């Protein structure tokens, strides 16, 4: 199993709305992929609840059966739409993919 974790720091304002509004939109877009991209075994999106200079604003936790499934997810057209939007509103990003 592959666990895919992504964290984002959001711009204070982007695409004409606030950081909080964009965080909600990220969550809605990513959660909408469940059932659309069959390779997703689990997916959750959360918001940071403690302000910290080292903190990120939004986190994605997802699971895939294999690296091949993760690769299929990465290039799926619906995931590409999410990546395009997220790329416009983030200031920083961190990613970890690991096998269990």
């Amino acid at each position: 199993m592959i666990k895919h974790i992504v964290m984002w720091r959001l711009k204070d304002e982007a695409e004409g709305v606030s950081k909080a509004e964009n965080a909600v939109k990220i969550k809605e877009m990513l959660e909408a992929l469940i059932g659309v991209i069959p390779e997703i075994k689990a997916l959750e999106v959360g918001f940071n609840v403690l302000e910290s200079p080292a903190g990120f604003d939004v986190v994605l936790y997802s699971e895939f059966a294999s690296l091949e499934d993760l690769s299929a997810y990465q290039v799926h057209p619906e995931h590409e739409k999410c990546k395009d939007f997220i790329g416009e509103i983030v200031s920083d990003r961190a990613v970890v993919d690991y096998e269990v």
Side-chain angles (χ1 to χ4, degrees):
M1 174 183 296
I2 303 298
K3 297 192 179 191
H4 174 65
I5 315 270
V6 185
M7 298 183 297
W8 299 278
R9 284 192 187 101
L10 306 184
K11 297 175 185 174
D12 287 335
E13 185 177 313
E15 300 295 302
V17 298
S18 70
K19 177 191 291 192
E21 291 169 297
N22 279 326
V24 169
K25 185 166 182 182
I26 288 174
K27 181 176 176 65
E28 290 170 349
M29 289 179 78
L30 290 169
E31 289 176 346
L33 299 177
I34 299 168
V36 173
I37 302 176
E39 290 82 7
I40 297 171
K41 299 301 176 206
L43 183 146
E44 65 182 48
V45 178
F47 305 131
N48 188 18
V49 296
L50 293 175
E51 287 295 320
S52 162
F56 284 76
D57 300 306
V58 181
V59 64
L60 164 68
Y61 169 87
S62 52
E63 296 178 357
F64 300 87
S66 66
L67 285 171
E68 294 78 18
D69 284 358
L70 174 59
S71 294
Y73 159 79
Q74 298 267 352
V75 299
H76 191 282
E78 292 303 313
H79 180 249
E80 291 288 339
K81 291 177 189 174
C82 294
K83 290 190 326 190
D84 290 345
F85 171 72
I86 292 168
E88 294 297 319
I89 65 167
V90 301
S91 61
D92 198 10
R93 173 178 169 265
V95 178
V96 174
D97 297 302
Y98 63 98
E99 190 169 20
V100 293

